[in-house]
Amino acid sequence: AQKITQTQPGMFVQEKEAVTLDCTYDTSDQSYGLFWYKQPSSGEMIFLIYQGSYDEQNATEGRYSLNFQKARKSANLVISASQLGDSAMYFCAMSEETSGSRLTFGEGTQLTVNP
Amino acid sequence: DGGITQSPKYLFRKEGQNVTLSCEQNLNHDAMYWYRQDPGQGLRLIYYSQIVNDFQKGDIAEGYSVSREKKESFPLTVTSAQKNPTAFYLCASSTIGFERETQYFGPGTRLLVL
C-alpha cells in the first residue's frame, strides 16, 4: 500500500488566490512527521513546512500552512495569495518512528499559477 | 555559506561504465541520503548513512554503491549492474534522530546513459 498519496497530478490557481494541495498518509506508528517540499523546474528540493504527529496546532510558515487532520490521516498544504513563482512540483513526505530519519515521498502535484 | 554541493550537474555514461556522483555538505549533519527521481515521479531512497563508515540500503539499492569515509562526503557510484541509470539524483543531509529532522537537499545531478 502507498504510504503517501497525492491524488492531484496537476492543479491550477489564479495569482493571488489560495490553493490546497492534498496529501493522505498511511502509518501504524504513533509518532511520525509530515513534510512538504517544493521542486521548481531547476530540480532543487526546497523544504517548506513540517508537522509532527503530536503537534496540536497546524503548522504555519509565512504563506504556507498545513491542514492536519490526524483522524483522517491527511496533511494538506495550503498556499495563500499564490504568486507566479509558486509554480512548481510539490511533494508530501513522511518520516516514521520505526524508520528513523528516512523519508517516504508521494508522487507529487504540479501546481501552475496563472496570471 | 552552509549547504550541500553535488557535482557534476550533468553526467553522461557509456553503457558498461561505472560513474561516481559527488555529494559534499558543510552543515555538520550526521546523516546523508541518496535519492533517485525519474521523470514525473517522486523520490526513491537508494542508500543512507547515519555515521561515518556505516550505511544502509534504501528501497532501490541494486546496482549502486556508496562510501562514507568522511562526515562531509557521501559519494554514490552507479555501477554497470544498474540497467536503467538515466535519472535525476539528489543528495540530502539531516541531523540524526526522528522528530523534526528535516532533510536538506543539494541541487542534483542528471545522469544520462549514451
Side-chain angles (χ1 to χ4, degrees), chain B residues 46-106:
Chain B
I46 305 172
Y47 268 98
Y48 65 106
S49 168
Q50 296 188 311
I51 193 170
V52 173
N53 292 324
D54 188 42
F55 46 83
Q56 289 77 40
K57 292 182 179 180
D59 299 318
I60 54 166
E62 186 175 351
Y64 299 97
S65 66
V66 293
S67 63
R68 187 89 186 273
E69 297 177 0
K70 298 186 300 182
K71 186 176 181 178
E72 302 79 18
S73 178
F74 191 41
L76 173 74
T77 296
V78 184
T79 75
S80 57
Q82 172 50 240
K83 296 307 178 188
N84 186 21
T86 295
F88 186 49
Y89 292 86
L90 286 155
C91 178
S93 71
S94 75
T95 54
I96 285 292
F98 161 61
E99 193 77 10
R100 298 186 184 275
E101 271 66 37
T102 301
Q103 291 186 19
Y104 295 94
F105 286 79

